[in-house]
Amino acid sequence: MTHDQPAQPALRVQGIQKSFQDLQVLRGVDLDVEAGSIVALLGSNGAGKTTLVRILSTLLKADAGTATVHGHDVAARPGAVRESISLTGQFAAVDEILTGRENLVLVARLRHLKDPGAVADELLARFSLTEAGGRRAATYSGGMRRRLDIAMSLVGDPPIVFLDEPTNGLDPQARIDVWKGVKKLAESGTTVLLTTQYLDEAEQLADRIAILHEGTIIQDGTLAELEALLPPAQVEYVEKQPTLEDVFLSLVGTSARKES
């Protein structure tokens, strides 16, 4: 799959602010996401991750700042933004009465695509669900439902996908299965913005990691760049390299532990 990408970043966020009554959730967020990359937006519960995604997907209006998605301003051209994205929320939105294949065919028909059956079969194969395609989604495991949910979000080949806490509540094996599906997205050229509070998930998936804390991005870089923020490993009996958890807790301090 290939997408016609604008020369500028796939996502550009500049000075985004958002408050709910007296609660200021976003305090001036700046973030660029390059086309074809996976960027993890990492933060504790309540850090503002979902709020930012809702703004980028035109479900909320920012109080201040600007954002462009696939070259389209989210405030001025919300329709064009919605045509360029797909959003997968924290809970799988599959119809449990339908089979996996029927779920995909339904979405393809709603998007007026040619040959919905072929679209469904290709996505079932891509997410290793072909054998389960004829079963009702109610019989699927949590990981299979989430993979089907992500597959449904890809009907029509959107160039940009937002994944909001995609493995929330899943068991370890199901999480690994979802990770494989997300990696396939990037391999196919899709731009992925992934929100997560799981440090190992960001380590496994992201090309770059942006740490959102108290409404702002406090660090943004590759895993190696973030690890370099900590002092070199001390050699005693064994060498202990800093983990992303070490970096995260060092940057956000004890407040992250209290929030979690």
Side-chain angles (χ1 to χ4, degrees):
M1 176 172 55
T2 59
H3 300 298
D4 294 329
Q5 296 283 6
Q8 66 187 73
L11 302 174
R12 170 156 284 175
V13 179
Q14 296 177 306
I16 288 291
Q17 299 179 31
K18 183 64 181 179
S19 297
F20 297 97
Q21 296 181 344
D22 295 332
L23 177 63
Q24 190 172 10
V25 178
L26 301 177
R27 302 170 181 269
V29 174
D30 299 306
L31 179 67
D32 282 354
V33 176
E34 297 301 322
S37 66
I38 300 178
V39 170
L41 189 61
L42 181 64
S44 307
N45 283 332
K49 304 185 300 296
T50 297
T51 298
L52 180 60
V53 168
R54 288 174 63 82
I55 289 171
L56 293 176
S57 55
T58 75
L59 297 176
L60 274 179
K61 291 186 178 180
D63 297 332
T66 61
T68 57
V69 175
H70 202 56
H72 307 299
D73 185 281
V74 298
R77 302 192 63 195
V81 170
R82 288 192 287 270
E83 290 178 356
S84 303
I85 67 169
S86 184
L87 170 63
T88 298
Q90 297 184 21
F91 304 98
V94 304
D95 188 326
E96 296 187 349
I97 296 176
L98 301 179
T99 67
R101 189 175 188 274
E102 287 170 342
N103 270 280
L104 291 164
V105 168
L106 175 62
V107 176
R109 286 176 175 169
L110 290 173
R111 296 196 175 185
H112 306 291
L113 299 182
K114 295 180 180 179
D115 201 350
V119 172
D121 291 338
E122 190 275 329
L123 286 166
L124 288 171
R126 192 192 308 181
F127 286 89
S128 303
L129 290 170
T130 299
E131 292 185 3
R135 287 167 39 198
R136 288 176 57 187
T139 68
Y140 286 14
S141 67
M144 292 170 68
R145 290 187 197 187
R146 178 50 94 183
R147 279 152 52 204
L148 176 61
D149 192 33
I150 295 174
M152 290 167 62
S153 73
L154 295 182
V155 173
D157 288 341
I160 298 171
V161 174
F162 299 124
L163 300 178
D164 190 14
E165 304 278 2
T167 63
N168 186 34
L170 297 184
D171 62 59
Q173 183 57 53
R175 292 178 70 213
I176 292 173
D177 290 341
V178 171
W179 289 353
K180 291 178 181 177
V182 174
K183 289 177 180 177
K184 289 180 181 179
L185 294 184
E187 290 171 0
S188 67
T190 304
T191 303
V192 178
L193 179 63
L194 165 81
T195 75
T196 184
Q197 58 182 316
Y198 299 125
L199 303 174
D200 59 339
E201 187 159 274
E203 285 183 309
Q204 286 286 331
L205 296 177
D207 300 308
R208 297 186 67 83
I209 299 164
I211 298 178
L212 182 64
H213 182 61
E214 296 184 348
T216 61
I217 301 291
I218 58 174
Q219 287 293 340
D220 175 14
T222 65
L223 178 59
E225 288 169 345
L226 295 181
E227 289 176 339
L229 296 173
L230 295 186
Q234 295 181 353
V235 179
E236 294 177 353
Y237 294 102
V238 296
E239 180 176 316
K240 180 180 182 298
Q241 295 291 338
T243 66
L244 182 56
E245 181 174 7
D246 295 328
V247 176
F248 179 79
L249 293 177
S250 174
L251 290 170
V252 305
T254 56
S255 61
R257 295 187 179 91
K258 294 178 181 177
E259 291 170 4
S260 60

